[in-house]
Amino acid sequence: LISGCGTFTFLSSAVAAVSGLLMGYELGLISGALLQMSSILALSCKEQEIVVSSLLFGALFASLTGGFLIDRFGRRLAIIIASSLLVLGSVILLPYESYGILIVGRIAIGISISLSSIATCVYIAEIAPQHRRGLLVSLNELMIVMGILFAYISNYAFASVSHGWKYMFGLVIPLGALQAIAMYFLPPSPRFLVMKNDDEAARKVLERLRETSDATKELTVIKSSLKDEHQYSFLDLFRSKNNMRTRMLVGLTLVFFVQTTGQPNILFYASTVLKSVGFQSNEAASLASTGVGAVKVVSTVPATFFVDRVGSKTFLCIGSSVMAVSLVTMGLVNHNIRVNFTNVCRSQSPEDFFLQRLENLTDVTNGSLKDLFASMALPERLSFDTQRSPDIARTGELNRTALSGGKNTTGSHTESEEVPVVLKWLSLASLLVYVAAFSIGLGPMSWLVLSEIFPGGIRGRAMALTSSMNWGINLLISLTFLTVTELIGLSWVCFIYTIMSLASLAFVIVFIPETKGCSLEQISMELAKQ
């Protein structure tokens, strides 16, 4: 498995890849925490989108500034700073229950995961031996999906615990702290040391990483390639010199497809989407999304271990084509279910909250007032109150079982609203296939390709730029997802994603180079010639 890459190299990569675990956890976490917090803080649709997106604002900001940090102070230091910031952001969140603090904490966490994701990819690519680079860089993606799975599991575990979201946010604190400490004892990237003209240290590090007594040969190759590359300025990324502009465009387009084929949303709003398709309670929705997380992990594993043999291009092609097929299925199924997306948001809307408060204040025995309000608010959200009332009671936020009147009224309507079982499961199945396809192709492979196609002297900044494109589009899509879905319906959203998947397939076939088994320096030279 790890043959041909020393234990120390593997260990260093694994510790660095803990960033991925933390990142995945923070990304997946919000889908379940939202279900709880939106009822506690009575968040509207827009506010929920903002909570999800505040993380992305932080991430976008960090990716715009982080590249210089990574090229200036080193990959390892950037990872240490990022973990510390994650701990800080999580600690801010715990004591308070306010919308403002929540956003501040999420922004800090966003900055942290964005910085660490760029730094980790670059760090691992630079310490890895060439024939094992795919494995080690994909290790980061594997950790990300494991993080997402853990997040979904903790969503499920704490779904019915009072203040469960605090435990969800708090779980990362020890891990982040541990990583920061462990990174301190790992070596800096040898290529970074060469950039800083510290050849002696670079050679020592290489000898430890490769477990040989003489790393002069590899050092010479790195030095000669960095000499050519060191004179790149940030603007060279957009000039035609050495084909940099084309490489940049390939990187940016790849990232564009990672986002526009719709995966991130399915991630953030998994519980929400599944709830609207007919998995009624918070627990059921969280459990179904745990399935999504598990599938991500299971399908990323073969991609990680076989990438050096099969090559990233092949995986990208397989992934995109399967995604297109499953998205069409999902679109057709949802077209027949007629998902009403307003439900999902309204189930946590302010008037809902008002209703419950009202119910607590006015203990109206004949329930006339209560029924009046219930009937006003009911049509949009038929089957949801039934589920949420016990939930709220359990959170202890509202001392009386809310909307007991609402329950009786809902009961009679729900039968007609029931989603056909076959369609419900078909919808889940196509969702899982879609997730699996993404996790084989665009998920891990795009980052691998990105960490390979740029020359070393400017790799940090180039990755940061593509990363900021990544977070930017992600932000745009996440901010508008619920709104757009409400406008055109889930099935049309799926059809749009299908078209994007097919486009990405065409793009990969034409533009992405096959890089398996080449050293970073060889790849750079090849691409400069094209």
Side-chain angles (χ1 to χ4, degrees):
L1 171 75
I2 315 167
S3 63
C5 105
T7 332
F8 184 63
T9 309
F10 186 74
L11 206 69
S12 305
S13 306
V15 172
V18 171
S19 305
L21 192 71
L22 298 170
M23 174 182 177
Y25 186 80
E26 290 294 352
L27 287 175
L29 183 69
I30 197 68
S31 111
L34 256 189
L35 293 178
Q36 274 199 7
M37 285 154 41
S38 43
S39 59
I40 295 173
L41 303 174
L43 302 180
S44 68
C45 229
K46 200 77 224 139
E47 285 174 324
Q48 286 183 53
E49 284 179 339
I50 289 172
V51 170
V52 168
S53 306
S54 56
L55 177 95
L56 303 172
F57 272 113
L60 181 59
F61 168 74
S63 60
L64 290 170
T65 51
F68 296 99
L69 226 166
I70 292 167
D71 282 343
R72 173 84 38 86
F73 298 110
R75 289 71 164 121
R76 187 187 61 156
L77 194 65
I79 298 176
I80 295 175
I81 294 171
S83 317
S84 316
L85 195 62
L86 180 80
V87 172
L88 195 71
S90 306
V91 171
I92 296 173
L93 281 177
L94 293 184
Y96 307 103
E97 280 186 15
S98 85
Y99 176 59
I101 296 280
L102 182 64
I103 286 176
V104 173
R106 292 296 285 173
I107 289 176
I109 291 170
I111 293 175
S112 150
I113 63 176
S114 164
L115 185 61
S116 70
S117 70
I118 312 167
T120 304
C121 274
V122 174
Y123 178 76
I124 297 178
E126 291 189 350
I127 64 172
Q130 63 193 51
H131 55 280
R132 276 284 170 266
R133 191 179 54 245
L135 169 78
L136 294 174
V137 174
S138 304
L139 200 64
N140 190 42
E141 178 71 22
L142 184 59
M143 292 290 235
I144 291 178
V145 295
M146 283 167 71
I148 292 169
L149 177 60
F150 285 138
Y152 284 158
I153 291 172
S154 88
N155 284 344
Y156 177 59
F158 298 119
S160 45
V161 178
S162 112
H163 297 299
W165 60 277
K166 291 196 170 181
Y167 298 106
M168 297 180 195
F169 284 125
L171 280 176
V172 294
I173 296 175
L175 198 56
L178 272 174
Q179 190 205 17
I181 296 163
M183 281 307 294
Y184 178 75
F185 295 104
L186 291 180
S189 148
R191 286 178 171 85
F192 175 73
L193 290 171
V194 172
M195 270 160 60
K196 289 281 168 274
N197 297 321
D198 194 348
D199 294 358
E200 192 42 46
R203 206 194 61 207
K204 286 205 175 91
V205 169
L206 270 175
E207 282 166 7
R208 274 182 77 191
L209 289 172
R210 301 289 175 265
E211 295 177 355
T212 65
S213 51
D214 186 25
T216 330
K217 199 167 117 203
E218 191 174 354
L219 190 66
T220 323
V221 176
I222 293 175
K223 276 176 71 172
S224 65
S225 86
L226 278 175
K227 261 195 197 65
D228 308 337
E229 290 167 0
H230 209 62
Q231 60 280 51
Y232 283 126
S233 69
F234 185 67
L235 288 173
D236 284 335
L237 285 175
F238 307 100
R239 300 204 178 101
S240 50
K241 176 178 133 190
N242 281 352
N243 234 5
M244 280 309 291
R245 191 188 299 151
T246 321
R247 285 148 87 164
M248 199 66 223
L249 280 173
V250 165
L252 290 175
T253 316
L254 193 59
V255 161
F256 171 76
F257 282 126
V258 170
Q259 295 299 330
T260 50
T261 48
Q263 192 72 17
N265 280 334
I266 301 294
L267 198 97
F268 290 146
Y269 298 107
S271 306
T272 314
V273 170
L274 287 164
K275 216 168 164 181
S276 64
V277 177
F279 290 89
Q280 300 290 341
S281 68
N282 278 354
E283 278 93 340
S286 293
L287 189 60
S289 32
T290 305
V292 174
V295 166
K296 274 184 104 60
V297 174
V298 170
S299 44
T300 307
V301 170
T304 304
F305 290 128
F306 295 120
V307 60
D308 290 313
R309 217 163 304 154
V310 178
S312 45
K313 186 170 183 169
T314 321
F315 274 129
L316 280 168
C317 293
I318 297 171
S320 297
S321 18
V322 177
M323 266 163 79
V325 176
S326 60
L327 279 166
V328 167
T329 321
M330 211 148 90
L332 292 171
V333 170
N334 290 331
H335 200 61
N336 291 334
I337 292 184
R338 288 259 166 258
V339 172
N340 179 6
F341 229 70
T342 8
N343 291 353
V344 181
C345 254
R346 289 297 155 71
S347 67
Q348 290 141 348
S349 61
E351 85 256 32
D352 201 38
F353 192 71
F354 173 63
L355 252 172
Q356 291 143 4
R357 283 280 179 222
L358 184 96
E359 216 254 344
N360 294 337
L361 296 173
T362 54
D363 208 334
V364 187
T365 30
N366 58 8
S368 54
L369 190 60
K370 199 164 58 188
D371 289 347
L372 178 73
F373 270 101
S375 61
M376 277 165 53
L378 262 177
E380 291 132 27
R381 27 184 239 308
L382 281 176
S383 48
F384 289 91
D385 298 332
T386 352
Q387 258 55 47
R388 285 252 339 298
S389 334
D391 228 62
I392 290 173
R394 241 187 326 217
T395 343
E397 289 304 306
L398 300 170
N399 40 9
R400 295 248 337 258
T401 308
L403 269 184
S404 45
K407 271 187 199 168
N408 317 336
T409 17
T410 353
S412 52
H413 295 286
T414 335
E415 282 73 37
S416 58
E417 289 281 301
E418 207 49 59
V419 175
V421 174
V422 181
L423 288 183
K424 177 166 136 179
W425 289 105
L426 191 59
S427 171
L428 182 64
S430 55
L431 178 74
L432 294 181
V433 171
Y434 163 62
V435 166
F438 180 85
S439 306
I440 279 181
L442 282 169
M445 298 310 148
S446 50
W447 295 108
L448 177 60
V449 171
L450 286 177
S451 63
E452 293 174 339
I453 60 176
F454 298 115
I458 200 172
R459 193 171 290 129
R461 280 161 290 177
M463 287 280 287
L465 189 64
T466 51
S467 179
S468 55
M469 166 100 164
N470 180 40
W471 293 112
I473 299 176
N474 194 331
L475 180 64
L476 207 70
I477 293 179
S478 303
L479 266 176
T480 54
F481 180 63
L482 292 176
T483 324
V484 169
T485 313
E486 223 166 293
L487 274 176
I488 61 176
L490 195 57
S491 54
W492 282 105
V493 173
C494 290
F495 293 142
I496 293 174
Y497 289 160
T498 308
I499 296 168
M500 294 320 268
S501 301
L502 292 171
S504 76
L505 178 63
F507 167 76
V508 168
I509 293 173
V510 180
F511 290 106
I512 301 287
E514 183 52 87
T515 52
K516 62 177 175 196
C518 308
S519 73
L520 291 176
E521 284 71 28
Q522 283 167 320
I523 295 170
S524 203
M525 275 162 60
E526 280 301 307
L527 285 170
K529 282 202 285 264
Q530 277 175 13

